Amino acid sequence: MNRIKSQKTVDRNEVVKFLADELKIAFIRDYCPNGLQVEGQSRISSIVSGVTASLALIEAAIESKADTILVHHGYFWRNENACITGPKQKRIKLLLSHDINLLAYHLPLDCHPVLGNNSQLAKVLGFTTTGRFGENDLGWLGMVTVPELVTVSDLAAWIGKKLGRPPLIIGKPEQKLDTIGWCSGAAQDLLPDAVQAGATVYLSGEISERTVHEAREYGITYLACGHHATERFGIQALGDCLRKKFGIHHEYIDIDNPV
Ligand SMILES: [Zn+2]
């Protein structure tokens, strides 16, 4: 009857240590802390994962009776107001009052060669990896392996189908596909690095006004595929990895975000 009571439990510190080692958090320079951001109960039996530790995700996790939330976008970003007021107060109060752990992994999750956002995105979209580029090796380089995808237009339609959101194309839809670069999230400013690495098409999540001119002037095609849409897969793979390793419950909850 009670799923949580019959569930295996594991020491939280053991999970935190495993993730720190697996994601090599000590070796990646980031603009937020990676690891246990808010301390809840000392034993873990049920994890809810999601892209962002929003109020909606915390409420869904409470509804699911989770003791731990695992996310890609946590709290305490560099240069943000450090005070715990407004929405931040509501989120943290809810976590603390329910004794829920918040585990957050940002760039280390983008970078991981198997569980990471970019590796998982390549799996979903059928890309092979031939190299990496940019700081922290955040950018990925490869080829499209799906035979029926010949042009940028084919690829855009394919991405729309796979991610449930049509990308914005900056470039020529009839351009033939060759080496492509990709980086999930808000990596539009990695575009010059993608050009230098040899990509003729570069895709990321977000787009800025300047990206349009940069893409045109570099002569590269840019596909803005959605920040949330491109970052749903790493955290699911990480949660599943914990489920298999420790025998604990894991459920991914998607909080819709059109950006
Ligand atoms: Zn992101």
Side-chain angles (χ1 to χ4, degrees), residues 76 80-93:
F76 315 119
E80 81 173 18
N81 183 342
C83 299
I84 301 179
T85 55
K88 193 172 168 185
Q89 184 268 355
K90 288 198 172 58
R91 292 170 171 187
I92 292 173
K93 185 180 181 183

Side-chain angles (χ1 to χ4, degrees), residues 51-52 72-73 77 106 110 117 184-186 206 227-228 230-231:
V51 178
T52 299
H72 180 49
H73 302 141
W77 300 90
H106 183 235
D110 293 315
N117 279 322
S184 67
E206 292 191 24
H227 190 140
H228 176 83
T230 55
E231 296 206 317

